[in-house]
């Protein structure tokens, strides 16, 4: 699964910085029918987590009203240089992980 | 078939065409502030997910020869100046757009299976290549015959509503149809991310939507008549900067 | 035959009445009451019988969205207080609960922007459960317009 994440390369300690994360996913909500009238089974990303050096920034449950190619932006507090990690969990059990380095001055 | 028009009718037609002539305006001009913001930010524009995938595909080895696009063409950025559609050098009667050119390259040069028109991979690669020219005017091959053929399609009334492309996107551009402003139908943002599609889609898929909307039988994706129309649209909007991947309703 | 009343003149009359304040107090009261009900109903599956207090939560949605498939929504708090969790509910969707967000120690603010797929025009509800157990909520209405052309298979 393709994901795109925006994290500033360098931030000042104590500052808040914005993070944006987007994943390529149809987020099939399970309510649609195909051309033959058969129900299209639900398949969404149901969980999204962002951690900063292992500590939780936010942890979300996603349900069917979340749009296709889900997008989230949020504010993180700069503490130490290290890594932001992102995790998306699919209904089929697969997990997509992504990480981005950050330098705190 | 060609036939000569009586001179007065010909002049009247030219006059009407000139009256309808407006400076090219991108679909972006008609978009809401929310959509414009979404397109402008690479990390909020979902079309960039396809561009990112296309960038990876550019370097991915595939096919019998174990080559990638990069093996022959070098860096993806070298694609910024390419001009499509163009004629197939081996059969000049055949028109090729970027999508059909990529497919031909895969089959003939790489010995790899074609991706299929409107497949995620072909959209991704097409978007990544077009994205190299973002912000610049795209080059158009000045092929009068092909452009004229595309314009003929553009001006031909069709379907149950008996409407030509020109009647909406030239004569009525800027007017309102229900809650939407009719755009000039420019092609500079394709492949584009449409909210209705909830994904990236090709210009030819958009043509099919228009054909369906006027009750006309859509042509197949990648068909010669659609490539000719694509060529005319590229020429008609040649002063506009490439926006791929644009975000539209 | 009566004179035809067109939509434009009705709208103009409605606008004039609103501007004159003729309708506003009654309408505002009715709206507050109905919003409290909408919020209570929307949040019961998450917070049970806990009382829902209006306020503290900020919710930004477009008044009109051109397409229901991707509507940008932002939630936040009035002050620096960090809630235990926040939820967003799309009240007219077949499954209304959209997301539940739990903020950890590295969040700078309880603030998130995301995009929702909305089945139709509706009220969006956002709520925050505070560390003391109280639940605060706010709501906003979004109108989904339809496109100009009918698209087969979209």
């Amino acid at each position: 699964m393709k994901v795109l994440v925006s994290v500033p390369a360098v931030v000042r300690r104590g500052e808040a910085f914005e993070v944006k994360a987007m994943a390529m996913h149809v987020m099939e909500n399970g309510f649609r029918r195909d051309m033959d009238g058969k129900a299209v089974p639900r398949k969404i990303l149901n969980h999204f987590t962002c951690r900063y050096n292992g500590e939780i920034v936010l942890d979300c449950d996603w349900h069917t009203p979340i749009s296709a190619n889900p997008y989230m932006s949020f504010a993180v507090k700069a503490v130490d240089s290290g890594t932001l990690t992102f995790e998306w969990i699919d209904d089929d059990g697969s997990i997509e992980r992504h990480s981005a380095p950050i330098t705190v001055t | 078939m060609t036939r000569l028009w009586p001179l007065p009718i010909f002049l009247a037609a030219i006059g009407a065409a000139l009256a309808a002539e407006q400076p090219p305006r991108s679909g972006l001009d008609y978009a809401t502030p929310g959509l414009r913001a979404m397109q402008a930010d690479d990390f909020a524009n979902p079309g960039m997910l396809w561009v990112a995938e296309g960038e990876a595909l550019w370097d991915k080895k595939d096919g019998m020869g174990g080559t990638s696009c990069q093996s022959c063409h070098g860096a993806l950025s070298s694609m910024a100046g390419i001009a499509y559609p163009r004629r197939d050098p081996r059969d000049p009667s055949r028109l090729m757009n970027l999508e059909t050119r990529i497919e031909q390259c895969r089959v003939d040069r790489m010995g790899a299976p074609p991706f299929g028109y409107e497949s995620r991979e072909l959209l991704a690669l097409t978007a990544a290549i077009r994205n190299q020219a973002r912000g610049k005017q795209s080059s158009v091959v000045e092929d009068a015959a092909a452009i004229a053929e595309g314009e003929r399609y553009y001006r031909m009334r069709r379907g149950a509503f008996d409407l030509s492309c020109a009647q909406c996107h030239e004569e009525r551009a800027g007017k309102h149809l229900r809650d939407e402003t009719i755009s000039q139908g420019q092609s500079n943002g394709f492949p584009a991310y449409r909210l209705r599609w909830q994904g990236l889609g090709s210009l030819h898929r958009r043509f099919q939507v228009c054909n369906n909307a006027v009750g006309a039988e859509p042509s197949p994706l990648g068909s010669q008549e659609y490539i000719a129309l694509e060529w005319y649209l590229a020429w008609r909007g040649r002063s506009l900067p490439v926006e791929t991947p644009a975000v539209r309703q | 035959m009566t004179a035809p009343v067109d939509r434009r003149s009705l709208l103009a009359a409605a606008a004039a009445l609103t501007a004159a304040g003729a309708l506003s107090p009654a309408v505002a009261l009715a709206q507050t009451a109905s919003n409290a009900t909408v919020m209570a109903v929307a949040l019961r599956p998450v917070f049970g019988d806990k009382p829902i207090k209006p306020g503290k939560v900020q919710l930004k949605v477009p008044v009109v969205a051109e397409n229901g498939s991707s509507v940008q929504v932002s939630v936040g708090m009035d002050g620096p207080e960090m809630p235990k969790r926040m939820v967003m509910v799309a009240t007219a969707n077949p499954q209304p609960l959209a997301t539940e967000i739990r903020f950890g120690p590295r969040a700078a603010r309880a603030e998130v922007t995301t995009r929702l797929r909305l089945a139709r025009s509706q009220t969006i509800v956002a709520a925050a459960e505070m560390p003391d157990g109280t639940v605060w909520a706010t709501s906003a209405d979004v109108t989904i317009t339809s496109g100009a052309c009918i698209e087969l298979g979209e």
Side-chain angles (χ1 to χ4, degrees), chain B residues 100-156:
Chain B
T100 55
R101 179 71 183 85
I102 293 169
E103 294 287 65
Q104 192 190 68
C105 219
R106 282 184 61 78
V107 174
D108 294 355
R109 309 286 171 91
M110 295 170 74
F115 287 130
Y117 216 102
E118 219 56 32
S119 64
R120 199 185 76 216
E121 292 87 349
L122 188 58
L123 284 167
L125 205 44
T126 309
I129 292 170
R130 282 280 286 173
N131 181 251
Q132 302 309 307
R134 189 166 58 165
K136 304 182 197 106
Q137 292 176 1
S138 68
S139 338
V140 181
V141 179
E142 297 270 354
D143 183 317
I147 292 169
E149 194 184 323
E151 183 168 9
R152 200 149 45 235
Y153 186 102
Y154 184 80
R155 301 197 182 281
M156 188 182 290

Side-chain angles (χ1 to χ4, degrees), chain B residues 175-203:
Chain B
K175 292 195 164 69
H176 294 275
L177 187 58
R178 287 171 67 183
D179 71 315
E180 269 182 76
T181 309
I182 303 173
S183 80
Q184 289 181 357
Q186 296 288 355
S187 60
N188 57 320
F190 281 87
Y193 188 91
R194 289 187 79 222
L195 299 189
R196 279 197 190 90
W197 291 339
Q198 301 178 48
L200 204 76
S202 69
L203 182 62

Side-chain angles (χ1 to χ4, degrees), chain A residues 45-84:
Chain A
L45 297 171
N46 59 50
H47 200 99
F48 170 73
T49 312
C50 172
R51 289 183 180 84
Y52 180 1
N53 289 345
E55 296 247 42
I56 298 268
V57 177
L58 52 75
D59 177 61
C60 318
D61 295 323
W62 282 350
H63 303 281
T64 54
I66 297 293
S67 76
N69 308 306
Y71 166 87
M72 268 220 173
S73 72
F74 45 92
V76 185
K77 203 188 312 173
V79 181
D80 287 307
S81 294
T83 311
L84 279 129

Side-chain angles (χ1 to χ4, degrees), chain C residues 17 35 59 64 73-75 77 81 99 109 139 154:
Chain C
L17 274 175
N35 280 2
L59 173 61
V64 176
V73 177
S74 301
V75 289
M77 300 295 291
E81 245 183 319
T99 179
R109 291 182 295 273
S139 69
E154 298 260 303

Side-chain angles (χ1 to χ4, degrees), chain B residues 55-68:
Chain B
E55 287 167 353
L57 281 172
W58 180 263
D59 294 326
K60 192 184 165 195
K61 292 188 170 69
D62 202 356
M64 294 187 302
T67 54
S68 68

